[in-house]
Amino acid sequence: MKYILLLSALYVSMYAHPTFEPSQTCKSCHPTIYKEFQSTQHAKASIFDDEIHAAVWKKHPKNTKMSSYACAKCHTPSASNYGALVEKHNGVVPDANDTTQREGISCAYCHRIESIKPGHMSNTNIIAKEGKAYFGSLKSHIESPFHKIKTDSKHFNSGNVCVGCHSHKKNKYDINVCSTNIDNELDGSNCVSCHMPKVKGSVSTMHKTKEHAFHGFPGTHSHQGMLTQYVDIILKRHERTFDITIDNKSSHALALHPMRVMQLRAKITRKSKVIDLAVKNFARVIGAEGKGTPPWLANEVVQDTAVKANEKRVVTFNDVLEKGDRLEVTIGYFLVNPKMLKSLDLDKSVIATKFHHFKTEKFEIK
Ligand code: HEC
Ligand code: HEC
Ligand code: HEC
Ligand code: HEC
Ligand code: HEC
């Protein structure tokens, strides 16, 4: 009897998902970081705060009363009932009243990632057992009265603690649904340098610092302006045509997620007339039998025109530029491919139907 109790206690301590200090707790000492974080997709990753994620989950074959919410692994990893959520056949489904699910990817979750286990379908974050002890990368810091600080993390120090969730995700047909790091070069990528730039404002209220790492995580939903320096739009004029080069200086493809469509729009202002030129689309479409499908049915890449990591993509326009013309070139995104809107019941969603502006470049033709 004693042994069984001991063993089950051991089992619970080894396999139970840890619980996390709520993000709200961090607010009093880290108000600037907290405020930035609140506006992000990380804070809104649950089906209750991300209508696009909710719409896809609604149609997902695993979404039955008795099935598992496997998306929790990356979308609500701080849930206090994580184990039950991802387990099959127990009837436990996401719950809007559960505040730990509404946290999305919480402060404490991210800061307790101790190591990352590479996996074929997706990687897995290994969470430190010790609660209230957070990994960080500050070279010099004071002690915190609330938590321990650990600065010996390989992943925090190389800026890639992100690849536990962002590296890659495959489906059962071995199709790569989405990736920033498909070759699993865990040590080669530094996401933080572009996605968490240093900005003004103190790390905490207890120790005045000039700057801190931005926690608003610029991406396709918000703060796009902080990323435009990594994508250049270059014009090359020829006699009867002109080329626009999209120079992608980031370490992953543009329009990463298979739902996205990136667009290049160009217009010429000639005297007082505006001439709209052909719109070019860039997307990686996954599907079956030559047609786009939801990710879980995809067994092939149907079409891939996305601009790849470090690629310079040249797009030729069969239009003549004249002296005095003003050419305006814009890159932006649809978060959800307009062709998928109806089948996902997202045709009335503002965020899903809106063109999200990324960058505009203007050229005077001399
Ligand atoms: C291995 C981690 C992982 C798992 C598991 C996962 N996702 Fe995601 N998901 C991500 C990441 C990372 C992003 C952000 C990618 C991006 O923006 O390019 C994302 C983004 C999304 C988006 C786009 C959201 C938006 O607002 O644009 C949808 C939709 C989505 N996931 C659906 C799902 C569904 C449904 C499941 C479960 C069946 C799931 N995901 C499971 C990691 C994961
Ligand atoms: C009572 C105040 C207080 C609270 C509450 C608090 N912290 Fe801190 N935290 C600090 C102080 C002080 C520092 C050190 C700042 C410095 O030296 O500039 C710090 C530093 C950190 C660091 C930086 C570690 C590094 O070396 O990069 C992380 C990460 C962190 N806190 C996470 C959290 C999280 C997550 C929460 C909420 C669960 C939280 N803190 C709540 C006071 C607090
Ligand atoms: C626990 C898993 C997890 C970790 C760790 C994680 N992310 Fe995410 N991230 C996600 C998910 C899930 C989404 C999409 C949420 C949604 O839209 O529903 C996302 C979205 C994003 C986005 C898109 C934001 C937008 O506006 O479109 C960016 C950028 C991002 N993450 C960067 C990072 C960086 C940088 C790190 C590391 C410092 C990181 N993530 C760590 C799961 C994670
Ligand atoms: C998606 C993962 C992720 C989430 C969520 C997250 N952080 Fe961080 N945080 C990081 C990373 C990575 C760094 C290190 C940045 C660097 O190396 O420049 C960091 C740095 C910090 C620091 C040190 C400040 C600095 O300038 O380096 C503090 C304090 C901190 N985070 C607190 C928080 C708090 C509080 C929250 C929630 C409101 C939070 N973090 C949410 C990944 C995350
Ligand atoms: C050299 C800069 C750079 C580096 C390094 C970088 N990114 Fe990005 N990232 C960008 C730019 C620029 C965009 C905006 C263009 C876009 O959304 O396609 C972006 C967009 C994203 C998005 C949103 C994509 C979508 O479709 O919603 C995610 C998620 C993301 N990056 C995650 C990561 C992760 C994780 C890493 C590290 C493995 C990383 N990035 C490394 C520049 C970078």
Side-chain angles (χ1 to χ4, degrees), residues 23 26 30 33-34 37 42 105-107 110-111 137-138 156 161 192 196 198 203 211-213 215 217:
S23 301
C26 324
H30 301 293
I33 290 178
Y34 180 82
F37 169 76
H42 287 145
I105 299 143
S106 70
C107 312
C110 229
H111 283 282
S137 62
L138 286 178
F156 273 88
V161 70
V192 164
M196 298 186 81
K198 291 270 184 277
V203 168
E211 44 183 34
H212 66 282
H215 275 66
F217 297 95

Side-chain angles (χ1 to χ4, degrees), residues 266-276 321-328 363-365:
K267 65 178 182 201
I268 298 172
T269 308
R270 183 168 295 158
K271 300 205 171 81
S272 58
K273 218 170 92 202
V274 176
I275 309 158
D276 285 309
L321 290 174
E322 295 175 6
K323 201 174 152 193
D325 282 355
R326 270 176 296 139
L327 173 69
E328 196 176 302
F363 305 94
E364 305 270 343
I365 310 303

Side-chain angles (χ1 to χ4, degrees), residues 77-96:
S78 341
S80 59
N81 66 341
Y82 177 85
L85 264 181
V86 297
E87 197 183 284
K88 288 184 189 130
H89 313 305
N90 62 0
V92 176
V93 293
D95 174 5

